Amino acid sequence: MSKTFTRDDTRKLAAILAEAALVEVMPRFRNLPEGSVRGKSSPRDLVTDADEAAERLIAARLAKLHPGAVLIGEEASTRNPALLNMLVDADLAFLIDPIDGTSNYVAGLPLFGMMIAACHRGDVIAGVIYDPVSRDSALAVRGEGAWMEYENGRQVPLAVAPPAPPEDMDGLIATGALPEPLRTTVNSNLSRLGSTASLRCAAHEYRMLAAGHCHIALYNQLTAWDHAAGWLLHREAGGYAARFDGSPYKPTHRSGGLLYAPDAGSWHAARKALMGDAIEGVET
């Protein structure tokens, strides 16, 4: 499947995201009427009319472009969690995140993105992360690299940052979702890195990682639509990622955390610096 899902196929995914941004997302940005923002699992887990309208448009376009494909959107999966179970056996499935960084979107902060990942029997084969504000895309095809495409047609290959010791690493780390006592352990060790930040938007964090503008990222909640496209982007840009116990990531995983680094050596160094011996069974 990965050999038949081409760069042109992936560009068509980017075009779908661009259309949804133009029609549904940007007209509502900084223009959300009262009642169009709602909480889901918590007050910080938001959904807006823009999320739902964009997902409907994206799903409709994907269904027309790839009849028979399984469509797994963030908002549809919130209503029907069993959708995620279809990833394992589907010859072609699409994971859709209509607006990643919804809290930023609601706050009027122009730091949010839109993502699609194409999967074959539980493996990610292509991914797109689109920025509706700058109107450019980060794209990846399994085995064929990762690249940026700008509105004027310019293309630039993506490559992760060179390896660095922990004290020189820039990290994108949000610890709020980590379980205790791991959360306290990681928080107490953040000063071992050169710098840490959180953008409240995985889409832009993945773009930064894949472009070499930071070294590591750490996530605990593994909702598939948040990570599948970015994981492939980082991998195809030359990076290394694994769950906290050292096992490989798949979009079917829903727990176990995820740590990204430029290569295996710096992954182990970052994991040791942040977690020490808090996770049993990891190879160090």
Side-chain angles (χ1 to χ4, degrees):
M1 177 65 72
S2 60
K3 292 188 180 301
T4 60
F5 207 92
T6 66
R7 285 190 167 216
D8 283 341
D9 291 328
T10 308
R11 289 188 183 98
K12 290 176 183 177
L13 302 183
I16 290 172
L17 292 179
E19 180 189 359
L22 180 66
V23 174
E24 303 291 1
V25 176
M26 293 310 295
R28 291 180 170 93
F29 182 50
R30 296 176 175 167
N31 191 35
L32 287 166
E34 187 176 352
S36 64
V37 181
R38 299 168 293 283
K40 293 193 290 186
S41 63
S42 75
R44 291 185 297 276
D45 183 16
L46 302 177
V47 63
T48 72
D49 288 352
D51 293 83
E52 294 176 340
E55 183 170 301
R56 286 193 297 269
L57 191 154
I58 293 165
R61 297 294 184 267
L62 287 172
K64 184 175 180 179
L65 189 62
H66 296 280
V70 172
L71 306 178
I72 304 172
E74 176 178 5
E75 308 314 330
S77 296
T78 298
R79 295 187 296 270
N80 180 15
L83 278 175
L84 279 166
N85 298 332
M86 301 176 71
L87 260 183
V88 177
D89 297 322
D91 282 334
L92 183 61
F94 292 101
L95 293 161
I96 306 163
D97 193 342
I99 300 178
D100 183 76
T102 300
S103 293
N104 290 344
Y105 181 80
V106 170
L109 183 66
L111 194 64
F112 51 91
M114 306 169 70
M115 299 191 277
I116 298 177
C119 299
H120 169 64
R121 296 192 178 276
D123 290 321
V124 190
I125 58 174
V128 179
I129 302 179
Y130 180 73
D131 181 355
V133 177
S134 62
R135 296 187 292 193
D136 54 30
S137 299
L139 308 94
V141 176
R142 192 164 188 142
E144 297 186 28
W147 71 102
M148 288 291 303
E149 287 200 7
Y150 296 95
E151 195 175 17
N152 63 5
R154 184 168 67 99
Q155 299 180 26
V156 178
L158 290 172
V160 298
E167 62 268 22
D168 292 331
M169 288 180 178
D170 297 314
L172 294 166
I173 298 171
T175 61
L178 290 172
E180 290 291 5
L182 184 59
R183 179 181 181 182
T184 296
T185 298
V186 173
N187 279 335
S188 67
N189 289 328
L190 290 178
S191 61
R192 295 182 177 183
L193 302 184
S195 73
T196 60
S198 171
L199 303 182
R200 299 200 310 174
C201 177
H204 277 284
E205 291 177 348
Y206 278 122
R207 284 167 56 121
M208 285 186 67
L209 269 175
H213 298 306
C214 57
H215 298 88
I216 66 170
L218 182 149
Y219 300 101
N220 188 63
Q221 292 178 323
L222 299 191
T223 41
W225 45 81
D226 282 326
H227 299 292
W231 172 85
L232 185 66
L233 195 74
H234 181 258
R235 170 192 166 112
E236 291 298 323
Y240 180 88
R243 294 199 292 170
F244 295 162
D245 67 358
S247 61
Y249 166 77
K250 282 185 173 290
T252 50
H253 293 146
R254 303 182 194 182
S255 62
L258 197 50
L259 179 64
Y260 291 83
D263 62 6
S266 47
W267 185 94
H268 288 290
R271 189 244 169 246
K272 184 72 172 177
L274 290 171
M275 301 181 184
D277 299 318
I279 303 293
E280 296 181 1
V282 71
E283 296 178 7
T284 56

